[in-house]
Amino acid sequence: MYCPLESAMTQPKDSSDQQLTDALAPLRAEIDALDTQLIHLLNERARCALRVGDVKRKFGAEVFRPEREQQVVQKVQDNNPGPLKNESLATIWREVMSACRALEKSIEAAYLGPAGTFSEQALYAHFGHDVSGVPCTSIDEVFRAVEAGTVEYGIVPVENSTEGAVSRTLDLFLQTSLKISGEVALRVHHNLMNRTGNMADVKVVRAHPQALAQCQHWLTANYPHLERQPVSSNAEAARMASMDDSVAALAAESAANRYGLHIVHAHVEDDPHNRTRFAVIGRYETESSGSDQTSLVLSVPNKAGAVYQLLAPLAANGVSMCRFESRPARSGAWEYYFYVDVEGHQQDAPVARALEELRRNAAYFKVLGSYPTSR
Ligand SMILES: C=C(O[C@@H]1C=C(C(=O)O)C=C[C@H]1O)C(=O)O
């Protein structure tokens, strides 16, 4: 039997190198030929997308269609014979669509910066890399940039699986006329990092308050003496740590790369399944993709049974609720706004019927948007 290790040890190096090159040559030729075919096919696809762009311009239709992109990814996955993983194909196709779309139109989208934040990762997960990301210093600024029309879209964090709702985003949803056109769910890993890779001189650890909260047990167990200081974002904490040896940051690996920091401990979040959901906001009202959800804000008068009655139309129309969150209405009267996500698109008949009944019963009612469910 041919044993590569044995033959590599007994034969002169030059000869085993030659054997390796000879064995790889036909396979590499095959890959080169397949790449040539892929280049032709990808450009053919791009030419087709350009023609789609011409048609859309003629009819004054929106170029970026998140619902269509979701359907494309779904179809690709349904047709996947393997061995490539569905997740890998989704990543590849998002980039292919991003490149095709960029030929029709360039998209600018605001996110909670600086560069290196999870919001930036969410931005690329949604739009692919052919998008101009505009970093903002706060969630308020992201909303303002989209409302002012400086950018077409924004990405804001909505909810974390460990820490719950991002309350500032929920409050701003109340005030804005913008719509949610899509969502992104990201696995969020936090890493403890600093400039030297040695924690001896570190006195404080900085991060966004959500990240500090998501790592609180780990920090208490491992670095109880470090003062925890909240800052505007994890990437900002990383930037600060790059200039001060007494500072460590909790942030994403991309922030360590960007600011030249060493990761001292990787994946220090208390919950290994830690995920954050982001909303894409803009003026576009996403059409049905066939696998959607709808976000609403409601309030009811403060009286017995009001919430129960409010939600009855969902059950009556067979509409499932997938999220329910409350925020004080700040009226001083123990009144609340309820943030409710339901399965389905607002144009689906059962959802439309349920929404109409909810609208009639609620003291306050607003549809934030229908959009493809992230997976
Ligand atoms: C090509 C289209 O336009 C854009 C690009 C897409 C693509 O490359 O598949 C899909 C949806 C749109 O965001 C289209 O609507 O079909």
Side-chain angles (χ1 to χ4, degrees), residues 45 49 52 56 63-65 68-69 97 100-101 104:
R45 188 190 194 286
V52 170
K56 286 179 180 167
V63 166
F64 175 49
R65 305 294 285 264
R68 166 69 183 154
E69 297 201 359
M97 290 189 291
C100 289
R101 202 200 309 128
E104 304 172 48

Side-chain angles (χ1 to χ4, degrees), residues 300-355:
V300 284
N302 187 5
K303 64 176 196 233
V307 175
Y308 176 77
Q309 276 166 19
L310 175 76
L311 298 176
L314 295 178
N317 288 284
V319 175
S320 302
M321 186 166 66
C322 40
R323 180 163 174 259
F324 184 86
E325 190 77 47
S326 66
R327 292 276 303 144
R330 301 206 189 119
S331 62
W334 298 110
E335 286 174 335
Y336 293 89
Y337 285 111
F338 301 106
Y339 291 77
V340 177
D341 286 358
V342 298
E343 283 177 14
H345 194 281
Q346 55 186 315
Q347 285 157 2
D348 299 345
V351 180
R353 273 197 304 274
L355 294 191

Side-chain angles (χ1 to χ4, degrees), residues 249-270:
L250 289 173
E253 199 181 332
S254 58
N257 297 336
R258 179 169 293 268
Y259 295 104
L261 300 179
H262 293 274
I263 293 183
V264 187
H265 299 280
H267 296 194
V268 299
E269 60 279 0
D270 293 331

Side-chain angles (χ1 to χ4, degrees), residues 105-126:
K105 166 188 185 172
S106 62
I107 291 182
E108 278 192 315
Y111 66 95
L112 182 60
T117 55
F118 290 113
S119 294
E120 189 191 30
Q121 270 182 39
L123 167 89
Y124 291 131
H126 187 72

Side-chain angles (χ1 to χ4, degrees), residues 239-299:
R239 192 189 63 78
M240 290 166 151
S242 72
M243 298 185 308
D244 185 344
D245 286 358
S246 72
V247 175
L250 289 173
E253 199 181 332
S254 58
N257 297 336
R258 179 169 293 268
Y259 295 104
L261 300 179
H262 293 274
I263 293 183
V264 187
H265 299 280
H267 296 194
V268 299
E269 60 279 0
D270 293 331
D271 173 7
H273 307 296
N274 195 27
R275 279 158 70 92
T276 296
R277 274 193 334 123
F278 297 83
V280 184
I281 51 169
R283 288 196 169 74
Y284 181 65
E285 299 203 23
T286 308
E287 287 171 21
S288 172
S289 74
S291 173
D292 305 288
Q293 68 189 46
T294 299
S295 294
L296 320 164
V297 194
L298 308 152
S299 79

Side-chain angles (χ1 to χ4, degrees), residues 107-186:
I107 291 182
E108 278 192 315
Y111 66 95
L112 182 60
T117 55
F118 290 113
S119 294
E120 189 191 30
Q121 270 182 39
L123 167 89
Y124 291 131
H126 187 72
F127 291 101
H129 280 71
D130 266 305
V131 61
S132 304
V134 177
C136 293
T137 54
S138 66
I139 295 175
D140 293 56
E141 206 186 298
V142 175
F143 273 85
R144 270 201 299 276
V146 189
E147 274 159 1
T150 319
V151 294
E152 208 174 336
Y153 291 97
I155 293 259
V156 288
V158 177
E159 177 188 29
N160 174 264
S161 57
T162 315
E163 269 310 289
V166 180
S167 47
R168 189 65 196 146
T169 300
L170 296 192
D171 287 347
L172 289 167
F173 277 153
L174 267 186
Q175 298 162 21
T176 190
S177 60
L178 299 175
K179 294 288 175 198
I180 301 178
S181 61
E183 75 163 2
V184 183
L186 274 193

Side-chain angles (χ1 to χ4, degrees), residues 181-192:
S181 61
E183 75 163 2
V184 183
L186 274 193
R187 280 294 286 274
V188 170
H189 298 299
H190 296 302
N191 307 281
L192 186 72

